[in-house]
Amino acid sequence: MQNISVSFLLVVLLSYSISAATDAGADAAEGHWFYMVKTRSADPAKEAEFNAWYDDIDIPDVLAVPGFMRARRGVQQNITAIPELNLQESEGKYIALYDIETGDIDKSIIDLYVAARKMVALGRITDLLKVTEANYYRRLTPGYRASVPGLSVPGPDSGNKYIYIQKVLCCVSEEDQEQFLDWLENIYIPKAMDSNGINRINVYELYRIMEVLSVGPEEIPHLLLVHEIETDAIKQAISELSGAVDSLEKTARLSELYVEGNDSAVYRQMSDVKSE
């Protein structure tokens, strides 16, 4: 977390909510949220120091905030076969993913802000941290899991876990979103689950932007697809996912609402920590 100013907090509280489908009642009923933060080290020569701070100080401090249940970190992977997945380092080499359970997400956002201020006051921050993106999402699905007989559940020490973050520009209206989610659930996700190593796919809806963006609302990805993968052949897994989309297009089953953002990426999971 960066040294966050009071003006930043005002941006957080006053920034618009992207989804027209989200209301206070739905928030309280669902209670499942997702905070995604992309970062990089300000000094590439001090990557080890940066990662040690993140893992040993920042993650424990964030998980001490009520509602923050799980934290995962990943490092971006270059997939040469699919160049569009290879981000520039300025877009964030590392990613941190937080699972949140709360009936009042805005209070949780403020609680994290307060915790960040305490970290600054206690000197538990580092000048190496550069945040390139930070957004909150609401979970729309319970998480689609692979149901292949004999599939092993990834263990905590597995070294071949990956997270494929895919941004989708849909949807402008509630009607479009409902239609697109139906397509995801009944066509895309069953097809994607046939790909090598896919363990789970979750769908999230953008709730609040935490970093100022220089693009218009029509260019902001509204939905986030999070593919959890366990494989020793990540290039093959991603190629199969790409092939699944191509297959749907060839058979006229690809939704016209499926418009991918320009910063989807694959991350190798580095850590997975749950709150005590």
Side-chain angles (χ1 to χ4, degrees):
M1 294 179 293
Q2 288 179 305
N3 184 348
I4 307 175
S5 65
V6 173
S7 61
F8 175 84
L9 178 59
L10 291 176
V11 170
V12 170
L13 296 179
L14 298 176
S15 62
Y16 57 89
S17 178
I18 295 299
S19 170
T22 301
D23 57 35
D27 294 349
E30 293 294 336
H32 297 286
W33 302 84
F34 194 67
Y35 183 37
M36 184 181 76
V37 186
K38 291 183 180 180
T39 62
R40 62 182 177 87
S41 173
D43 185 349
K46 296 182 178 180
E47 295 265 327
E49 180 181 338
F50 169 73
N51 285 316
W53 169 82
Y54 221 123
D55 292 336
D56 300 336
I57 296 178
D58 191 66
I59 292 294
D61 283 356
V62 172
L63 289 181
V65 177
F68 283 75
M69 309 302 296
R70 181 187 184 190
R72 286 174 288 174
R73 290 193 67 224
V75 58
Q76 199 260 330
Q77 303 291 288
N78 286 330
I79 307 296
T80 54
I82 311 178
E84 57 267 28
L85 294 184
N86 302 332
L87 302 178
Q88 300 297 316
E89 183 156 324
S90 61
E91 296 177 274
K93 179 178 180 179
Y94 298 96
I95 197 167
L97 307 172
Y98 301 94
D99 292 314
I100 307 167
E101 294 181 8
T102 178
D104 188 344
I105 186 60
D106 290 318
K107 181 179 183 302
S108 296
I109 293 173
I110 294 174
D111 287 345
L112 182 59
Y113 165 78
V114 172
R117 297 294 294 175
K118 289 180 179 178
M119 287 179 66
V120 172
L122 295 173
R124 293 173 64 82
I125 201 71
T126 176
D127 292 334
L128 294 175
L129 176 65
K130 295 297 180 183
V131 175
T132 62
E133 180 182 343
N135 299 320
Y136 280 92
Y137 295 83
R138 181 171 70 96
R139 195 175 79 184
L140 296 178
T141 64
Y144 298 95
R145 295 195 60 128
S147 57
V148 179
L151 178 69
S152 60
V153 177
D157 299 321
S158 175
N160 58 350
K161 294 181 186 176
Y162 297 87
I163 301 171
Y164 174 33
I165 302 291
Q166 187 179 29
K167 293 182 178 179
V168 182
L169 296 179
C170 182
C171 301
V172 174
S173 69
E174 291 185 47
E175 182 180 358
D176 282 350
Q177 179 161 305
E178 183 177 344
Q179 178 182 339
F180 185 68
L181 290 175
D182 182 71
W183 175 80
L184 283 176
E185 181 177 3
N186 294 294
I187 297 179
Y188 171 77
I189 290 176
K191 185 72 173 178
M193 282 296 185
D194 289 336
S195 301
N196 174 55
I198 299 294
N199 279 343
R200 184 190 293 266
I201 298 177
N202 257 313
V203 183
Y204 298 89
E205 172 187 41
L206 183 60
Y207 174 68
R208 208 169 289 283
I209 299 171
M210 306 302 290
E211 292 293 313
V212 176
L213 301 179
S214 58
V215 297
E218 71 280 358
E219 300 177 66
I220 297 173
H222 288 56
L223 297 181
L224 191 73
L225 304 184
V226 179
H227 307 72
E228 298 180 18
I229 307 170
E230 183 175 8
T231 179
D232 291 322
I234 186 59
K235 292 181 181 179
Q236 177 184 342
I238 298 302
S239 294
E240 288 184 14
L241 279 170
S242 179
V245 173
D246 291 340
S247 175
L248 292 175
E249 184 174 20
K250 290 177 181 178
T251 57
R253 293 189 297 154
L254 186 66
S255 172
E256 62 181 13
L257 297 171
Y258 178 82
V259 181
E260 189 171 5
N262 61 2
D263 59 347
S264 298
V266 177
Y267 300 85
R268 177 178 59 79
Q269 186 168 302
M270 302 163 60
S271 60
D272 186 350
V273 184
K274 295 183 180 180
S275 62
E276 298 181 356

